[in-house]
Amino acid sequence: MKKSNRLSQDPFYRQIFKLVLPIIIQNLLSAAVSSADVVMLNYVGQSSISAVSLASQYAGVLFMVFYGLGTGVTILCAQYYGKGDFRAIQVIEGIAMRFSLPIAAAFAAAALLIPEQMMLLFTDDLELISIGASYLRSMSVAYLCWGVVEVYLAVLRSINRVIISTAMNVLAFSTNILLNAVWIFGLFGAPKLGAMGVALATSLSRFIELAACIVVSLLSKDIHLNVKYMFVRNKLLFSDFVRLSLPALGNDVSWSVAFSMYSVIIGHLGTDAVAANSFVVVVRNFGTILCFGMASAGGILLGNIIGENRLEEARAGAKKLMKLTVITGVIGGVIILAAMPLVLSYAKSSLSEQSMYYLRRMLLINIYYVMGAAVNTTLIAGVFRAGGDSRFGFICDTVDMWCYAVPLGFIAAFVCKLPVMWVYFFLCTDEFVKWPWVIRHYRSGKWLHNITREGLFDA
């Protein structure tokens, strides 16, 4: 009881719980959309589930690009918000847009013009290529909308307006689920479009979310979604954004592309492994919701504290955040364990016996995998970046994924030709290999910096 009272009275814990709840709701809805895709496509067939799972890897990579840019936004905006400099926040938003819009346009053009070639990277199964290509074409609009929405929502979150950003996501995700049902099951006289219907639902819901962001911007007194910010020049802020964002962007893209290589490896091990992994991804997403929410909330709060130049308080806050992370990692594992009977019961209606064998063992492996992901995400994407240190994570994740995990997976699968489950097990050791270096960097305190500047607009 005394410990509970201390937690409720501690300002850091009160603030982080206030921030984390909307973020958890947002992450929960995001996972719900992914699970809804799998649940509804389960009535279409195993091939549709597999094709969408593979094609969605591109959306995952693009999202990580935006997440990396959003991280640069959050690092700077959270500290400048602590300092009370809203003009700097507007300039940072415009700088991020200069990067996000061209990247979104490139992905949209590729999805529209060469979707078959994009699918060939993951599979040589002609049926999966055909289904995946139709999905990618319909996703092109969603890619464009993301380029604007994710930057603006990152700004809102960094200045503690997480309830507004969560409301935008609630609107998009609920619309997505509703439209999924309409175009998969042919509700209200609509055509049954299968995998393409999932993509159309995502694109339309993201367009609605963009429209909602514009409305919020028009009603805001200080932070607007304005294209003219893209043309505001400030050399100091631009150099800071590049210095902080590019390592974060490189970190997230390097990690997400490497993680997509896992799908490449699994995709060439057969449709049974792909289908099983499609269900596992959904369950793991639910298991990591609390962990990742805590990392995001902690990063924002620590950034605000550092921007106010309360460095010792930030160091103490990081220690408290680590304790919470361990707890959330354990909870994540328990969630996956508790979900297993339900998932296995539901999946057996559409998956083959071999897929069910893989699914059961993959879920067991992910019970412990969540803890590794929780600690590393909180430190690399939360604590270190809040202190202006995005370079360490980039180096650490790149070495871990590209020098260890991906080569190990390819060697296990295609050189040693090990059984599928041994390949999957080796792929799931990546988070634990980097623990010693990540924890040592955290204890060193070298990540802690106040990166705000004086006299930005004196000229």
Side-chain angles (χ1 to χ4, degrees), residues 339-412:
M340 278 187 64
L342 180 63
V343 174
L344 293 171
S345 175
Y346 178 78
K348 68 181 181 182
S349 63
S350 62
L351 298 190
S352 66
E353 185 177 341
Q354 187 65 48
S355 290
M356 290 297 296
Y357 172 85
Y358 293 150
L359 176 59
R360 185 175 294 105
R361 283 150 183 79
M362 287 178 176
L363 288 172
L364 288 172
I365 289 172
N366 276 274
I367 291 172
Y368 74 81
Y369 185 76
V370 170
M371 176 59 77
V375 172
N376 289 325
T377 301
T378 296
L379 289 177
I380 292 175
V383 174
F384 297 166
R385 292 182 182 182
D389 183 1
S390 55
R391 184 171 174 269
F392 175 84
F394 172 54
I395 296 171
C396 182
D397 276 338
T398 300
V399 172
D400 175 55
M401 297 297 277
W402 290 103
C403 297
Y404 169 75
V406 172
L408 180 63
F410 274 100
I411 291 169

Side-chain angles (χ1 to χ4, degrees), residues 90-91 93-95 98 224 226-232:
Q90 293 174 344
V91 175
E93 178 189 321
I95 294 169
R98 283 184 231 162
H224 303 286
N226 198 324
V227 178
K228 74 177 185 180
Y229 294 158
M230 294 175 62
F231 305 101
V232 177

